[in-house]
Amino acid sequence: MTYPEALEWLDATQLFGIKLGLEKTRLLLDAAGNPERTGRFLHVAGTNGKGSVCAMIDAILRADGFRVGLTTSPHLVDFRERVTVNGRWISEIEAAQLLTQIRNWTTSWENLPTFFEIVTVLAVRFFADEHTDYCVLETGMGGRLDATNAVTPLVSVITPIGIDHAQWLGGTLTAIAAEKAGIFKPGVPAVSAEQCPEVRDVLERRAAEIGCPLTFVTESVTTPVGLRGSHQRKNAALAVAAVRAAGISASDLAVTTGLADVRWPGRFQQVGRFVLDGAHNPHGARQLVATW
């Protein structure tokens, strides 16, 4: 398929809606040669701040000279924003080739994979092909049944949790927190942002059940951060804690340089006299107002 044809095929899979679960993702990863078995992942879930924390982790690791894959969602302008290596978007040719392969693998399937399942496997396969040192994965929704949860990471990260996507994750903070805590793995360290008491209880309970070392990050960084707002200083502290918990020996200089240089469009982004921000739930809207 050409790139326009590949995007048209991928977009058509959205007609099947959102179907949470890991079975088809694992089948796709098998077809792709199981690239997840050799990748080193940092896995980020939460309600707000996921993209910012992912961008900060990416910036810190790149500042220390590592080759880093980053997959986030949704994209703002171009589909290729979702899959980058050292800041370079996947090319149209590379995306078309991988999407063509995935289409061919799934042609005989009775139930096709969803848009997000396809993009997740595309990203993991691309990162393996690009010989990345580390891969930063942002969950799409929830965590327990999110396609990105098919990997075993070096660290699991939870950003602030609030009410969002209630029709899929549940209408209470405790229900949503339980879904987010689904990314915890036995023996794999986890770091969480400061949470309200009921969310903290859910996360602590789940971590204790499976033997997952869990740390809460309550402080903010004092060094310059390239993203505006006091909440971004807390996100930065969480990103630093994630890198450390993953056992990555990024230098102090890489941390300060990465945080100062990080850029993430659509997060209190000033363009002339306008401010662009993607806040789309009450928790995010409160931070937007506070930053304003």
Side-chain angles (χ1 to χ4, degrees):
M1 293 184 289
T2 65
Y3 180 67
E5 290 169 342
L7 274 193
E8 184 178 359
W9 172 79
L10 178 62
D11 286 340
T13 63
Q14 295 187 76
L15 296 174
F16 303 109
I18 296 171
K19 297 177 182 177
L20 298 178
L22 300 178
E23 180 183 0
K24 284 185 289 185
T25 301
R26 287 173 174 150
L27 288 173
L28 264 183
L29 287 169
D30 287 345
N34 295 113
E36 79 285 1
R37 293 179 182 173
T38 56
R40 294 189 287 180
F41 301 97
L42 295 89
H43 193 197
V44 182
T47 301
N48 289 312
K50 298 193 300 293
S52 296
V53 170
C54 285
M56 291 171 180
I57 295 171
D58 174 69
I60 291 169
L61 296 180
R62 288 166 56 193
D64 211 44
F66 292 112
R67 187 166 177 80
V68 187
L70 171 65
T71 182
T72 58
S73 65
H75 60 273
L76 294 180
V77 179
D78 191 303
F79 166 78
R80 296 177 299 139
E81 298 168 34
R82 292 171 177 259
V83 183
T84 68
V85 171
N86 275 17
R88 178 184 76 85
W89 295 359
I90 187 172
S91 72
E92 292 186 359
I93 292 174
E94 291 163 332
Q97 288 174 340
L98 284 168
L99 287 171
T100 299
Q101 287 180 333
I102 292 171
R103 184 198 63 176
N104 293 342
W105 295 333
T106 59
T107 297
S108 61
W109 288 20
E110 184 176 350
N111 297 307
L112 291 178
T114 64
F115 181 102
F116 192 73
E117 289 166 340
I118 292 168
V119 175
T120 297
V121 174
L122 179 153
V124 174
R125 179 68 263 172
F126 182 63
F127 297 154
D129 293 342
E130 288 290 305
H131 305 290
T132 55
D133 297 307
Y134 296 101
C135 311
V136 185
L137 302 186
E138 178 189 2
T139 58
M141 187 187 303
R144 181 175 64 93
L145 298 176
D146 189 83
T148 58
N149 205 29
V151 310
T152 299
L154 300 173
V155 64
S156 303
V157 186
I158 306 287
T159 68
I161 291 175
I163 298 290
D164 201 5
H165 303 304
Q167 63 269 48
W168 289 286
L169 305 181
T172 66
L173 283 173
T174 53
I176 293 171
E179 290 299 318
K180 308 292 186 183
I183 72 166
F184 292 168
K185 305 289 192 305
V188 175
V191 293
S192 170
E194 190 173 9
Q195 308 285 357
C196 68
E198 57 193 301
V199 168
R200 183 177 179 126
D201 286 347
V202 172
L203 299 184
E204 287 179 331
R205 242 187 349 262
R206 179 57 182 165
E209 285 172 0
I210 65 171
C212 163
L214 172 62
T215 303
F216 288 90
V217 180
T218 58
E219 72 275 9
S220 301
V221 299
T222 57
T223 56
V225 177
L227 303 179
R228 300 178 71 175
S230 60
H231 62 292
Q232 294 292 11
R233 293 186 174 278
K234 290 185 177 182
N235 285 338
L238 183 61
V240 174
V243 171
R244 301 301 188 209
I248 302 170
S249 57
S251 68
D252 291 341
L253 178 60
V255 170
T256 55
T257 301
L259 293 180
D261 291 345
V262 66
R263 297 293 180 268
W264 198 233
R267 278 69 176 179
F268 210 86
Q269 178 186 0
Q270 286 194 253
V271 181
R273 295 175 59 239
F274 296 93
V275 170
L276 309 180
D277 194 275
H280 59 279
N281 54 45
H283 185 267
R286 282 193 292 270
Q287 294 294 348
L288 171 59
V289 171
T291 303
W292 191 284

